[in-house]
Amino acid sequence: MLRVGFLVSGGGTNLQAVIDAIKAEKITNASIEAVISNNPNAYALTRARENNIDALCISPKTFDTRDDFNKALLKKLREYRLDLIVLAGCMVVLPKELIEEYRNRIINIHPSLIPSFCGTGYYGLKVHERVLERGVKITGATCHFVDEGTDTGPIIAQKCVEVLEDDTPEILQRRVMEQAEWIIMPQAIDDIANGRICVVDGKVKHIK
Ligand code: GRF
């Protein structure tokens, strides 16, 4: 059984998609052991509690130094003996040590087709604002492993979504979530839990 932990900051709709997929047995061999938020008011924490999943807040604001926060986060993650860490709307910059320790065991969901509209400054609604400004016709989402860069790790899955003429950033964000994020993130977790993917030379290979 793959022990999965989530790092979140907000609404947690991607977390919900994974909870639902586990219940529906679309994801097998995986269990969510903990949901950790830097934001005490994140609705993702409520979603976790409603599903009897440990829900914790570890906020940098409650520590004297960033280093103290990093240590506390790392300690907590180790306590849960996680096999996979899922970033789902996580707005915290991860400690380097965490990325090294969990190499190819941390995944993120990004709301564009990487390498477009990604990197520093591209998060949340900003991504969709830039997509609309540029007049892009096709966007989507990418699920990828996390490395030291911003949105640079090996790509696991991508799904495209049509941009429509009357879209606002909010409407487009919702469509990207519904048609891409909530599908490829659970799929990626199921693939990892069932040993269907590996990373070779910095690229994800799907094992037949
Ligand atoms: C999603 O749009 C995701 O792509 C981005 O942050 C948002 C998280 O939404 N990384 P939620 O908290 O899962 O609802």
Side-chain angles (χ1 to χ4, degrees):
M1 194 64 101
L2 190 86
R3 296 173 62 84
V4 183
F6 271 75
L7 294 182
V8 297
S9 302
T13 61
N14 281 284
L15 167 68
Q16 189 68 53
V18 174
I19 291 171
D20 293 347
I22 291 174
K23 279 189 191 157
E25 295 179 18
K26 287 182 187 160
I27 297 176
T28 57
N29 292 324
S31 66
I32 306 176
E33 300 297 324
V35 173
I36 302 177
S37 172
N38 60 308
N39 166 15
N41 302 316
Y43 190 63
L45 291 175
T46 305
R47 293 182 194 271
R49 287 190 196 104
E50 280 173 354
N51 287 279
N52 300 315
I53 299 165
D54 285 5
L56 298 82
C57 174
I58 305 179
S59 165
K61 289 182 188 154
T62 62
F63 294 87
D64 289 340
T65 67
R66 189 71 189 192
D67 199 43
D68 289 348
F69 163 74
N70 287 346
K71 283 196 179 114
L73 180 63
L74 208 55
K75 182 166 177 282
K76 192 48 81 182
L77 291 169
R78 282 178 184 143
E79 274 172 27
Y80 277 100
R81 295 177 292 108
L82 300 173
D83 302 306
L84 181 71
I85 296 172
V86 178
L87 311 185
C90 171
M91 302 300 286
V92 166
V93 177
L94 296 188
K96 289 259 176 299
E97 205 183 343
L98 176 65
I99 296 170
E100 251 164 52
E101 189 168 320
Y102 290 82
R103 176 84 50 206
N104 296 333
R105 293 191 297 145
I106 307 177
I107 65 172
N108 180 46
I109 184 80
H110 181 78
S112 78
L113 294 172
I114 291 174
S116 289
F117 303 100
C118 66
T120 310
Y122 284 93
Y123 59 88
L125 269 183
K126 290 212 168 65
V127 175
H128 307 292
E129 282 165 13
R130 299 287 114 76
V131 163
L132 292 176
E133 275 164 22
R134 187 62 187 81
V136 159
K137 307 300 181 220
I138 298 287
T139 184
T142 303
C143 185
H144 63 93
F145 285 111
V146 172
D147 65 9
E148 282 76 2
T150 306
D151 304 324
T152 52
I155 291 171
I156 303 167
Q158 295 187 297
K159 193 166 185 294
C160 59
V161 173
E162 205 179 348
V163 181
L164 302 179
E165 280 190 4
D166 293 335
D167 275 347
T168 62
E170 290 80 6
I171 290 171
L172 182 57
Q173 179 182 52
R174 181 76 192 180
R175 189 179 314 114
V176 168
M177 284 177 154
E178 281 175 1
Q179 295 185 5
E181 294 182 34
W182 301 343
I183 296 165
I184 62 174
M185 170 78 105
Q187 178 69 59
I189 295 172
D190 186 54
D191 283 345
I192 293 167
N194 290 287
R196 285 194 291 267
I197 60 174
C198 61
V199 181
V200 182
D201 297 333
K203 287 183 195 152
V204 171
K205 303 273 181 218
H206 286 254
I207 299 160
K208 299 272 159 33

